[in-house]
Amino acid sequence: MVSLEYLLHFIDEDAPSGDVTSEAVIPDIRCRAEIVAEQSGIIAGLCEATMLFSHYGVAAEQFAQDGQIVKAGDKLLSLYGDAKKILLVERTALNIIGRMSGIATQTREMADIIYKKNPKCRVAGTRKTCPGFRALDKKAVRLGGGEPHRGSLSDGILIKDNHLVLVPLKKAITAAKKITLYKKIEVEVETPAEALLAASAGADIILLDNMNFGQVKITLDTLMKKGLRDRVIIELSGGIGPDTLRDFAALDVDVISMGALTHTVKNFSVKLEIVPE
Amino acid sequence: MVSLEYLLHFIDEDAPSGDVTSEAVIPDIRCRAEIVAEQSGIIAGLCEATMLFSHYGVAAEQFAQDGQIVKAGDKLLSLYGDAKKILLVERTALNIIGRMSGIATQTREMADIIYKKNPKCRVAGTRKTCPGFRALDKKAVRLGGGEPHRGSLSDGILIKDNHLVLVPLKKAITAAKKITLYKKIEVEVETPAEALLAASAGADIILLDNMNFGQVKITLDTLMKKGLRDRVIIELSGGIGPDTLRDFAALDVDVISMGALTHTVKNFSVKLEIVPE
Amino acid sequence: MVSLEYLLHFIDEDAPSGDVTSEAVIPDIRCRAEIVAEQSGIIAGLCEATMLFSHYGVAAEQFAQDGQIVKAGDKLLSLYGDAKKILLVERTALNIIGRMSGIATQTREMADIIYKKNPKCRVAGTRKTCPGFRALDKKAVRLGGGEPHRGSLSDGILIKDNHLVLVPLKKAITAAKKITLYKKIEVEVETPAEALLAASAGADIILLDNMNFGQVKITLDTLMKKGLRDRVIIELSGGIGPDTLRDFAALDVDVISMGALTHTVKNFSVKLEIVPE
Amino acid sequence: MVSLEYLLHFIDEDAPSGDVTSEAVIPDIRCRAEIVAEQSGIIAGLCEATMLFSHYGVAAEQFAQDGQIVKAGDKLLSLYGDAKKILLVERTALNIIGRMSGIATQTREMADIIYKKNPKCRVAGTRKTCPGFRALDKKAVRLGGGEPHRGSLSDGILIKDNHLVLVPLKKAITAAKKITLYKKIEVEVETPAEALLAASAGADIILLDNMNFGQVKITLDTLMKKGLRDRVIIELSGGIGPDTLRDFAALDVDVISMGALTHTVKNFSVKLEIVPE
Amino acid sequence: MVSLEYLLHFIDEDAPSGDVTSEAVIPDIRCRAEIVAEQSGIIAGLCEATMLFSHYGVAAEQFAQDGQIVKAGDKLLSLYGDAKKILLVERTALNIIGRMSGIATQTREMADIIYKKNPKCRVAGTRKTCPGFRALDKKAVRLGGGEPHRGSLSDGILIKDNHLVLVPLKKAITAAKKITLYKKIEVEVETPAEALLAASAGADIILLDNMNFGQVKITLDTLMKKGLRDRVIIELSGGIGPDTLRDFAALDVDVISMGALTHTVKNFSVKLEIVPE
Amino acid sequence: MVSLEYLLHFIDEDAPSGDVTSEAVIPDIRCRAEIVAEQSGIIAGLCEATMLFSHYGVAAEQFAQDGQIVKAGDKLLSLYGDAKKILLVERTALNIIGRMSGIATQTREMADIIYKKNPKCRVAGTRKTCPGFRALDKKAVRLGGGEPHRGSLSDGILIKDNHLVLVPLKKAITAAKKITLYKKIEVEVETPAEALLAASAGADIILLDNMNFGQVKITLDTLMKKGLRDRVIIELSGGIGPDTLRDFAALDVDVISMGALTHTVKNFSVKLEIVPE
């Protein structure tokens, strides 16, 4: 999904003119090393770590697949190659695995909560990702069982509150539908009335933003009564935390998107250890 | 600290081929907008946001300076320009501010805890940053009152556990000192004995990694007795959370580095609102 | 839609180490110049040309807007600035305008033919663009009144014949729907039966590829009978030239996509003339 | 002639964040595929296609060499590898082959017409290429038997009409000759008198721009009489189409350059087919 | 001649993540500074320095033009702006001026020696430049009154000794002439016989490589006798130092190329001084 | 130390659109070639040359290691591969080896002079390198036995004369120490009094700039008397040439830095020869 050049850019960030420590103290030897999980969760980033080590001539064998559950102590990657190359890639690889697995693990937790209440409802990410790491944040959401949502402003139509300050909702939907047959039209609304208007105007997806439980319920009922519920996808977003998630998930909604999946990430703990001969 | 090109790369990530929504629905008008804090904390990233908006011809006036304390409701940036350009930059700017301010705020909290116990001790970051965002993660640590630590493998000598599997501690320090007069030599150790050895061998900074309270104390006492305490900087790292921080900070240490400052970040909440005419 | 850096890359291609002729023969003088249409059609690329000249400090005034009809002899851009800079940008600007206007003009011709037969039907482009110029090829299609279609493999789902050699149609649609709520699912089919299967399986868009007039008609009738016609968008593609376009457009189809819009382009003739003092 | 990085840029354009369709529907399997000509002509771009597929680990065997004549149905490339990688490269490869072969085929047609009338005369391209694809447009001209002409403003001296508005012809030639011993001096002229002046002033190549048949003849006669014909290369350009080409080619000229070779290209039809097991 | 991006790459090299010293110690103040020559010679690089300072908002006024003679103590550039920006660009600007002026000064010295002996003979550079700085090395040669020669392998034909190990001289010239009407054909030879062969075969420029004085003389006489001298340009190269230059220049040769102009450069001494208020 | 991409940029500079000569005259054959030293000295750049040739599929065997002494006639690299690829890389490889070996050789000469007088004193480079080649200039200094010194403005604190025009010395040192525990603070001074002040204020390294022999001696004596000599590293710089180096080296100083190591380089002579079959 991501090119080698994309990943090498990270090495360049961590070693713009080489690794002064290893160049000073490490001889020209080959060694073994292992990357090991220090907690349980959904692992991600092993594929990217493998691409990086391989590029530097370090043989990398994966002992788990991205998206799988691992537990503390599990060996994830076994490495063999030039010691300096292993040390060059170490921190970048761990940072990628740590962040991606943190995202995947949190996503799975949310997905599981939702699934228990409503098997037809999904969890989705947002564009609230770390700049420079978007593609991998999105991939991690998918590996955790979530839906990445729009990759960028270029690949999806989402008419938001700030658009609607400048253009009336109906006019915006009409303009969007005129510009493309190929993309779904998503509209963010804040009241049941707006939701109804959006659905009537032909929106494909309606994002109920920051509505409380009661408002969401009214919106769903209204759409149902008007016979519009099945013609739209209903997404919830805004102010839904782990505590309120259960309640919202129990409603007849299709997807709940959460910025926290990628903007407030708990690092997944993982380490690399050189294996003494 | 960071070039315009560095920041434009993030816009390119969020809009590789333009913003399909705004291009479809927003007319060619100019408008006002505001970026407003939704919580209190240390603000960061306003300088970068201003660079981005300015590049796109959007006039940006700052109402707070990076590193300052702000509170919920504070206006941070006032914008005026082409509506489509404001919307193009919106999410990237908010993501930058959200992450950097989250880091700065957390850093300040840790720095304050430490300061109350030991005004001479500092908090430092690590290289556990988000790949692609290192420079801004580091800047945010500084804005929060922390010390960024090494920017990369290229600009500091730090002999770590994995080096010491391959080379004896004393030999490594000697090799590092031979390679450079200009850089301090930092060594990571796990026991008081290693710390003593490192100090004797001429290390400038000793990183006590994952030691418990008692071990740190023994190490400090030993160095003191040998008359080596003042010749080295003592850094603690590993497994120190907000709860144990107070105790460690009370010891005679110089700096405590915490990976969590940048690897486990709570997003700082901030929003952009188009101002209706 | 396209960044300045995107356009400067083209200058770099045409002058990797400067313009040896102008540097040898042209003094440091400022002069006027005009870009003039040499034929009639839909003009495009003036916005890009203006960005380029402006970047080099050449004042550029547009006398037409991209997407407008112009005729031979119309002044399009008036320029004033350093003669060497005007000459540096000349060919790149003309190449951009020539190709984009050629595409826009041809697109408008096709759109007009279709419109006369079926005002609800549109013309669309494909990914058969000139590598390195995709974004501007797509923009030119839009300026000509066409729909650009997918910008890349990253921003739309289109299950094509080669996918269907490897995965059964129904399984492919199911997999695609599972992966995303946010994107429409388009499927390329070659027979009425496949079209029916695709519609039943939940495809949003059905691309009838290389079907003859009779097959298209049967497909539309079948879908109508099964009550599926209104739930899908019908796209035609393959082997439709200016001659057969009229017939196909008269059918109840939503969009006709034509690779030739961007892969077989007749350059729009335009020239730049330095104006003698 | 072109680097791998140059070609990978095109993949990046067609898949900035992966291929969503194949990632959703195609399993991890290896398969065979073939690229087959759908018309006859001069093939080009196979070398570039092979570089791309090889980079992604797809074994590619060429059944024709760039520059050869192929006919409809001819197998051009046989591929074997990861199905998703084949599909990732497919469109980019076909776009490269389609455009380059279109150029090569058209160039050969023009070269053949010229050759029959005047075996010593060649056909040449211009800088009227698609921005971002210049190097391959030029290579295609050569593969079709044409001369690419200047690669860019940096690598050849060509004093054109717009230069001559600003500097007198003789002065321009003198300035150019002074700046370089190493490059030929080419001058574009519009009258027999200018041609004579250019030849007398030491131009190496004279480009007779937009002259009609009679004017070209007078120019050649004049140069002959003055004993200057053999000291210059005579190039014709401007307004020469397939119909008038025969007449002009019959004259004693050295090269005829045609913008249409690269600015008005008919795509060469070629397809990629996955081979069912 | 060189783009801003080309120059900014050098700033990035000298400050990949900012200027830690100035950021630590310099307040936000504006100041004046001057760049002053510390020796006499031909100045070069002021244009590039001005571009860089201007880009960072530092007003730069030039007191000399590139290519002029300056003497020790001459003010070259006067600067006013943000102190940190002046210090950021300082070393890069001085390195550019120092190297380019060193090259221009040495080139002028050689050109003067040659001119006194043979006003029709020029001095030329080679491709023996510092990698990454080619364009500016070449520009400096021109500013010193020399001819830059080929800019790269892409923009000139030069058949050298290593080619002639693989292909016979006459065959090589024929192949080169067949490939292009637009470029001069230069051939490197080592004996009078080869020179004669090259001239007969139609070479435009003959490079007499590493010949001693007698051999060059014989070559010139032979060509003269055969009536070929005026049809070729004669270049000398190899082993010609300041001492032997006078003798060789006195011969009837057109150009003498010297690798040392760019591969063995004496830095031109220049300094930047902040002016106290 | 330097990435492949770093080196490929140099090939791109020397062949932006291929090698027109070899493409015209050299057949598709494989051949042997050798790179041979034409003088004695410290060789450097073989590692980089090998990376480049290998990238192009040319087998390269090294007969010497970077940093070793070689003499005229020594075979350095033996090559086997596609003749056109060898010729493509030839000049870039020779330019790298020529410059790096020139720097390494000169550095070793200076280091040897110093060592004979004062085995504890080292020679160091500066930031006076060729823009675009910094990393390799620095590496060459190390291979010659010198210390590279700061790699860039980002990786070391050095308070220079121009800083001190704007901020008092003591205040600058205090500010620098506050900003970082991890980097040594170096200060450039011009008088013994300033040196004393710097040492008292806690500078780690004191650079005595442009002091004469007497002043250096006084400075050292003063520091010794105050008991500060051992707490600082003393660096000399400015106006020290090969002639005065002996005298300065005999003093109790730690390091002498010389801009000439990299700004005034004598190319090391080396050639590539295709080996006839």
Side-chain angles (χ1 to χ4, degrees), chain E:
Chain E
M1 192 185 196
V2 138
S3 68
L4 178 61
E5 286 68 30
Y6 186 95
L7 298 172
L8 289 176
H9 169 63
F10 299 150
I11 296 290
D12 201 48
E13 181 187 57
D14 196 32
S17 50
D19 173 353
V20 290
T21 309
S22 295
E23 287 167 16
V25 311
I26 300 291
D28 282 330
I29 53 166
R30 300 175 75 75
C31 68
R32 296 198 175 282
E34 287 180 358
I35 293 184
V36 178
E38 298 186 293
Q39 66 168 88
S40 62
I42 305 298
I43 201 70
L46 297 183
C47 159
E48 284 73 21
T50 298
M51 281 172 73
L52 277 175
F53 283 113
S54 302
H55 174 72
Y56 285 99
V58 175
E61 188 186 356
Q62 277 187 232
F63 287 79
Q65 295 305 311
D66 289 326
Q68 280 186 345
I69 296 175
V70 300
K71 57 182 199 303
D74 281 2
K75 179 154 72 168
L76 304 174
L77 269 180
S78 173
L79 306 168
Y80 180 71
D82 179 349
K84 280 184 243 184
K85 295 294 166 57
I86 292 175
L87 292 163
L88 174 67
V89 177
E90 175 185 6
R91 176 54 33 220
T92 300
L94 296 182
N95 284 351
I96 291 171
I97 297 171
R99 181 173 174 87
M100 288 184 71
S101 303
I103 292 171
T105 299
Q106 181 174 14
T107 302
R108 178 66 60 90
E109 286 165 14
M110 298 303 118
D112 285 349
I113 290 172
I114 292 171
Y115 188 82
K116 277 177 205 154
K117 289 290 181 178
N118 181 354
K120 290 192 305 184
C121 181
R122 306 184 191 179
V123 66
T126 66
R127 281 168 45 247
K128 296 178 180 174
T129 56
C130 184
F133 203 75
R134 166 78 53 89
L136 295 179
D137 275 5
K138 290 284 185 184
K139 184 176 178 184
V141 167
R142 186 181 298 289
L143 287 168
E147 165 132 1
H149 211 302
R150 275 203 293 183
S152 72
L153 288 169
S154 304
D155 75 350
I157 301 264
L158 174 42
I159 300 166
K160 303 198 66 174
D161 53 351
N162 275 330
H163 296 100
L164 298 176
V165 174
L166 299 166
V167 193
L169 192 149
K170 196 169 171 182
K171 189 174 169 191
I173 293 175
T174 305
K177 287 177 82 81
K178 198 176 152 195
I179 219 81
T180 178
L181 283 172
Y182 291 95
K183 291 180 190 296
K184 292 188 179 177
I185 310 297
E186 178 167 10
V187 186
E188 179 183 299
V189 302
E190 291 171 356
T191 66
E194 282 177 345
L196 185 58
L197 183 53
S200 310
D204 298 296
I205 310 172
I206 299 178
L207 165 51
L208 311 185
D209 186 44
N210 273 316
M211 283 193 191
N212 63 31
F213 187 83
Q215 287 174 304
V216 174
K217 227 167 156 328
I218 291 170
T219 303
L220 292 167
D221 289 349
T222 310
L223 289 173
M224 188 68 78
K225 276 181 210 151
K226 301 283 181 182
L228 293 167
R229 175 62 191 90
D230 290 347
R231 281 166 52 183
V232 294
I233 291 166
I234 296 293
E235 173 181 341
L236 301 189
S237 194
I240 301 177
D243 43 337
T244 54
L245 184 56
R246 268 172 198 80
D247 294 339
F248 281 107
L251 293 170
D252 173 29
V253 298
D254 299 296
V255 59
I256 298 173
S257 62
M258 303 175 78
L261 292 189
T262 51
H263 76 42
T264 296
V265 179
K266 191 170 170 309
N267 188 62
F268 181 98
S269 197
V270 67
K271 67 182 169 188
L272 181 150
E273 289 187 325
I274 302 274
V275 183
E277 289 297 286

Side-chain angles (χ1 to χ4, degrees), chain A residues 161-177:
Chain A
D161 52 353
N162 275 330
H163 295 101
L164 298 176
V165 174
L166 298 167
V167 193
L169 192 149
K170 196 167 171 185
K171 189 174 168 191
I173 294 175
T174 306
K177 287 177 83 81

Side-chain angles (χ1 to χ4, degrees), chain B residues 28-100:
Chain B
D28 282 330
I29 52 166
R30 301 175 74 77
C31 68
R32 298 199 173 280
E34 288 180 357
I35 292 184
V36 178
E38 298 186 293
Q39 66 169 87
S40 63
I42 305 298
I43 200 71
L46 297 184
C47 159
E48 284 72 22
T50 299
M51 281 172 73
L52 277 175
F53 283 113
S54 303
H55 174 72
Y56 286 98
V58 175
E61 188 186 357
Q62 279 188 230
F63 287 79
Q65 295 305 311
D66 289 325
Q68 280 186 344
I69 296 174
V70 300
K71 57 182 199 303
D74 281 1
K75 178 155 74 169
L76 304 174
L77 269 180
S78 174
L79 306 168
Y80 181 70
D82 179 348
K84 279 184 245 186
K85 295 295 165 58
I86 292 175
L87 292 163
L88 174 67
V89 177
E90 174 184 6
R91 177 52 34 218
T92 299
L94 296 182
N95 284 351
I96 291 172
I97 297 171
R99 179 172 175 87
M100 287 184 71

Side-chain angles (χ1 to χ4, degrees), chain B residues 93-151:
Chain B
L94 296 182
N95 284 351
I96 291 172
I97 297 171
R99 179 172 175 87
M100 287 184 71
S101 302
I103 292 171
T105 299
Q106 181 175 12
T107 302
R108 179 65 62 89
E109 286 166 12
M110 297 302 118
D112 285 350
I113 291 172
I114 292 172
Y115 187 83
K116 278 177 203 153
K117 290 289 180 180
N118 181 354
K120 291 190 306 185
C121 181
R122 307 184 189 179
V123 66
T126 65
R127 281 167 46 246
K128 295 177 180 174
T129 56
C130 184
F133 203 75
R134 167 79 53 90
L136 295 179
D137 275 6
K138 291 284 185 183
K139 184 176 177 183
V141 167
R142 185 182 299 288
L143 287 167
E147 166 131 0
H149 210 306
R150 275 202 293 183

Side-chain angles (χ1 to χ4, degrees), chain D residues 107-124:
Chain D
T107 302
R108 178 66 61 90
E109 285 166 13
M110 297 304 118
D112 286 350
I113 290 172
I114 291 171
Y115 187 83
K116 277 177 204 153
K117 289 289 180 178
N118 181 353
K120 290 191 306 185
C121 181
R122 307 183 190 179
V123 66

